Amino acid sequence: FVLPMTALRSQPQDILQEIRVQLLNIGEHAFVDMQMMMKEFGDGDKLSKTELMNALTKSGIFLSLVQLSTIVRAFDLDGSGQLDVDAFSKALMGEYSPRRLRLLEIVFNKIDKNGNKKIEYKEMMEQFNPEGHPSVQSSLLTADVVMDRMKIVFDGAHKKGWLDFEDFKMYYAKMNATIPNNDDLFSEVVGGTWGIRENEEKKTITKDDPKVKTMLEILKEKVRQKSNTHLGNINTTLYKLFKFFDKNRNETVSLSEWMEVLGRLGVTVGKDIATDVYYVFAKDDELEYKEFVEMLFSNPNQPMKHRFIS
């Protein structure tokens, strides 16, 4: 076997990326298969260099001896000379791109029909459509194989019985690792199996759409009901609520955080229109809420006089 040129790279991040590329060539199930091999060849939650080599080779992943030594050293957390499997796996999963994260939020909200921020495992599996997988449509895999792999990816979720969005992201992180640098493919695989098409989600809805205007009026009324209007703090109420749900503290909210704000205010509109309104005002899949609040409560013929209270 001749190692590719990229295998000559010896920095931990380069090696992780090389593993991701090899996983991609095997298929989106490859990460799960690799984890199973690490359990088979390892002793508990640690692997020696030889055990790691055997597990990766059995999974169809080939690294040089130098790369193997580098990876073991990088993830030897206790000085035992062994690789910590959990730390290695998390590093390999990597971070979601904004586009992937947005797609997962759309899928989760679609499954979560009652809007309680939790999805039942049984309900999730009933909505999963293996026939929509691109490999099934191209006759490379059967629907049964895709469904079996889905069950493996979400192994453990059936015992708990339900998932919140953090759980959902954690399970899909395994697939995130096996499709590096290709958001289009990730979208085809995830979107296809859940009946989501990104182009369909990006509707040409505008601020002037009657549905958008109606929801904004409902939102303003709900904020007024929860504010001491005689003190002139209507927009401060909404700003502080956004800030409360802003987990990253960067003055933006994600789609799921937007939904939490609406829920706290008692804005009872359909999830579809709430999602549409979010993306009308979101930039790069994030809503800058200070700008949104100023827009919502400003008089176009009169400059804003209110000062935000941080």
Side-chain angles (χ1 to χ4, degrees), residues 228-234 306:
N228 294 319
T229 54
H230 64 283
L231 297 178
N233 68 345
I234 296 176
H306 181 80

Side-chain angles (χ1 to χ4, degrees), residues 20 59 66 89 160 170 187 221 254 272 299 301:
R20 294 186 190 110
S59 305
V66 172
S89 297
K160 185 176 181 180
M170 180 187 69
S187 174
E221 180 58 29
S254 65
D272 288 344
N299 184 332
N301 299 316

Side-chain angles (χ1 to χ4, degrees), residues 127-301:
Q127 293 191 47
F128 182 74
N129 177 30
E131 284 81 8
H133 194 291
S135 293
V136 175
Q137 294 184 342
S138 60
S139 301
L140 295 175
L141 295 173
T142 67
D144 288 340
V145 168
V146 171
M147 178 59 82
D148 288 341
R149 288 177 177 173
M150 172 67 171
K151 292 177 180 177
I152 292 174
V153 167
F154 282 89
D155 181 42
H158 67 285
K159 297 177 182 177
K160 185 176 181 180
W162 57 270
L163 304 89
D164 59 20
F165 185 62
E166 292 302 315
D167 296 327
F168 195 67
K169 283 197 306 181
M170 180 187 69
Y171 284 110
Y172 260 109
K174 300 171 186 177
M175 185 180 295
N176 190 54
T178 61
I179 310 181
N181 305 325
N182 194 336
D183 284 359
D184 288 339
L185 179 57
F186 185 88
S187 174
E188 286 182 30
V189 173
V190 177
T193 49
W194 293 108
I196 296 290
R197 292 289 182 266
E198 283 187 305
N199 289 338
E200 293 177 5
E201 289 297 320
K202 295 176 182 177
K203 301 174 183 177
T204 56
I205 189 169
T206 68
K207 298 176 183 179
D208 296 324
D209 189 290
K211 292 186 293 185
V212 174
K213 290 183 175 181
T214 299
M215 182 185 150
L216 293 182
E217 288 303 316
I218 294 173
L219 176 58
K220 287 194 287 186
E221 180 58 29
K222 291 295 183 180
V223 175
R224 289 190 184 99
Q225 292 173 8
K226 292 183 179 293
S227 305
N228 294 319
T229 54
H230 64 283
L231 297 178
N233 68 345
I234 296 176
N235 48 355
T236 301
T237 298
L238 184 56
Y239 176 76
K240 287 186 173 181
L241 190 57
F242 274 123
K243 192 172 183 179
F244 176 78
F245 285 105
D246 175 14
K247 297 181 178 65
N248 294 328
R249 297 291 182 261
N250 61 356
E251 295 207 333
T252 67
V253 288
S254 65
L255 176 59
S256 60
E257 291 167 344
W258 163 261
M259 293 296 189
E260 288 182 293
V261 170
L262 297 184
R264 179 64 64 90
L265 287 170
V267 177
T268 55
V269 297
K271 280 201 300 184
D272 288 344
I273 184 59
T275 300
D276 286 342
V277 171
Y278 175 84
Y279 285 114
V280 164
F281 297 99
K283 298 176 182 177
D284 299 322
D285 297 328
E286 291 185 328
L287 178 68
E288 297 178 3
Y289 53 82
K290 184 174 182 178
E291 178 182 313
F292 174 77
V293 173
E294 288 177 339
M295 176 281 301
L296 190 63
F297 290 105
S298 65
N299 184 332
N301 299 316

Side-chain angles (χ1 to χ4, degrees), residues 64-119:
S64 69
L65 293 177
V66 172
Q67 287 178 311
L68 287 166
S69 298
T70 300
I71 283 295
V72 170
R73 284 197 301 271
F75 295 99
D76 175 12
L77 304 186
D78 59 4
S80 65
Q82 294 183 306
L83 173 139
D84 185 285
V85 173
D86 184 58
F88 170 68
S89 297
K90 288 180 178 178
L92 194 56
M93 289 177 187
E95 298 293 330
Y96 285 108
S97 69
R99 180 180 169 188
R100 295 187 188 200
L101 190 58
R102 177 200 167 194
L103 179 61
L104 291 181
E105 286 186 329
I106 293 171
V107 171
F108 185 87
N109 288 330
K110 179 183 179 183
I111 303 170
D112 180 23
K113 292 181 177 178
N114 60 11
N116 67 350
K117 310 303 178 186
K118 292 182 180 180
I119 54 177

